[in-house]
């Protein structure tokens, strides 16, 4: 008998959790699923159990999917991570890939994409939802560019946020203006700083003001 693939599904939305479990249960592959309703429960289960795969919602209460993977780093956890998200921001995708994600699936396509994603990841490949597949190409192209980092390395969303930062707007004000969460804005700020090799709490604001005419 084919050995079952042990999977942890973590999402704070009950319908998404149930929907994914149903899809995997009905799939021809042999999946053995466990569930977690928030980030802390997911992290605890990852510490206590050996999963082949963990499908994590990017944004969850207590711990986000990204925070879970960071906390798992260095703890001898051999689980492959797949992220679920309703957001299409390229910088969030890049952050997920930077910390070791093997799959990145949009929630709007999760039902149709997730089985293919699991199959690819189990074969030691990467899987990105087709709607944002160009993000991976952009990422590879940026890696080929060995020149000094510049504003041109930023995504459209990152440039927009950098412009708002140059106007001395706080993360909360930016979040309200762009209709996103404060956490999302903070993720953007962190990614912008990494791409531009900026360090220190005030370096990003200083850079934004100095380059305001380019934004």
């Amino acid at each position: 008998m084919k050995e079952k693939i042990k999977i942890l599904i973590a999402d704070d939305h009950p319908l998404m959790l149930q929907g994914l479990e149903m899809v995997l249960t009905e799939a021809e592959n042999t999946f053995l699923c466990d569930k977690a309703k928030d980030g802390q429960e997911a992290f605890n289960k990852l510490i206590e159990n050996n999963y082949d795969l963990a499908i994590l919602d990017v944004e969850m209460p207590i711990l986000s999917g990204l925070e879970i993977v960071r906390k798992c780093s260095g703890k001898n956890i051999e689980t492959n991570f797949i992220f679920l998200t309703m957001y299409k921001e390229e910088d969030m995708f890049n952050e997920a890939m930077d910390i070791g994600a093997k799959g990145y699936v949009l929630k709007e396509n999760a039902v149709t994409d997730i089985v293919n994603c699991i199959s690819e990841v189990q074969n030691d490949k990467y899987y990105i939802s087709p709607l944002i597949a160009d993000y991976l190409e952009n990422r590879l192209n940026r890696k080929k560019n060995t020149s000094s980092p510049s504003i041109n390395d930023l995504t459209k969303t990152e440039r927009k946020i950098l412009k708002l930062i140059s106007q001395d707007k706080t993360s909360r004000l930016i979040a309200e203006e762009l209709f996103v969460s404060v956490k999302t804005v903070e993720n953007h700020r962190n990614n912008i700083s990494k791409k531009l090799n900026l360090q220190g709490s005030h370096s990003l604001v200083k850079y934004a003001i100095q380059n305001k005419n380019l934004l």
Side-chain angles (χ1 to χ4, degrees):
M1 181 180 292
K2 186 177 179 181
E3 187 175 350
K4 291 187 176 182
I5 300 171
K6 293 176 287 187
I7 300 175
L8 173 66
I9 310 171
D11 197 300
D12 60 312
H13 296 89
L15 290 179
M16 176 60 68
L17 203 60
Q18 293 169 11
L20 286 174
E21 184 182 31
M22 184 178 298
V23 168
L24 296 180
T25 300
E26 294 178 353
E28 294 181 4
N29 308 64
T30 53
F31 299 128
L32 182 63
C33 299
D34 196 2
K35 296 181 292 184
K37 62 182 180 300
D38 60 51
Q40 187 62 59
E41 183 181 5
F43 177 70
N44 292 343
K45 288 191 172 185
L46 282 163
I47 295 295
E48 297 166 359
N49 302 280
N50 295 317
Y51 298 104
D52 297 300
L53 293 166
I55 303 171
L56 308 176
D57 187 2
V58 168
E59 289 197 349
M60 286 185 288
I62 309 177
L63 290 173
S64 70
L66 299 173
E67 290 169 333
I68 290 170
V69 176
R70 289 195 187 95
K71 285 175 69 70
C72 286
S73 178
K75 293 188 179 296
N76 200 30
I77 294 174
E78 298 181 357
T79 303
N80 283 319
F81 293 103
I82 295 170
F83 283 114
L84 285 174
T85 182
M86 60 185 293
Y87 301 109
K88 299 179 182 178
E89 289 96 338
E90 189 169 2
D91 53 344
M92 186 176 288
F93 161 79
N94 281 316
E95 184 176 0
M97 301 305 288
D98 287 343
I99 63 175
K102 296 296 292 290
Y104 198 84
V105 177
L106 295 177
K107 282 193 173 184
E108 63 188 85
N109 300 109
V111 172
T112 55
D113 288 352
I114 198 63
V115 174
N116 289 334
C117 180
I118 292 171
S119 177
E120 291 294 290
V121 171
Q122 281 297 99
N123 287 313
D124 201 28
K125 298 178 180 179
Y126 291 91
Y127 183 92
I128 315 300
S129 280
L131 279 177
I132 55 172
D134 56 331
Y135 288 179
L136 185 59
E137 183 177 352
N138 293 343
R139 179 180 174 84
L140 295 175
N141 288 337
R142 279 195 294 272
K143 283 190 174 182
K144 291 178 182 177
N145 184 1
T146 57
S147 60
S148 299
S150 71
I151 289 176
N152 293 328
D153 296 317
L154 304 180
T155 65
K156 183 178 179 181
T157 301
E158 289 169 346
R159 289 176 69 114
K160 183 185 296 183
I161 287 181
L162 190 61
K163 183 175 183 179
L164 294 172
I165 292 172
S166 74
Q167 298 169 6
D168 203 26
K169 293 188 177 181
T170 65
S171 292
R172 185 166 298 280
L173 287 175
I174 295 172
E176 291 174 356
E177 185 166 332
L178 299 182
F179 301 103
V180 297
S181 69
V182 174
K183 182 181 289 187
T184 296
V185 175
E186 290 296 330
N187 286 336
H188 283 308
R189 295 180 74 126
N190 289 334
N191 286 328
I192 293 170
S193 294
K194 288 178 183 177
K195 287 183 179 180
L196 298 176
N197 290 334
L198 300 174
Q199 297 180 352
S201 57
H202 301 295
S203 58
L204 181 58
V205 176
K206 183 178 179 180
Y207 181 93
I209 293 174
Q210 288 176 339
N211 295 275
K212 191 172 183 178
N213 61 318
L214 300 178
L215 299 170

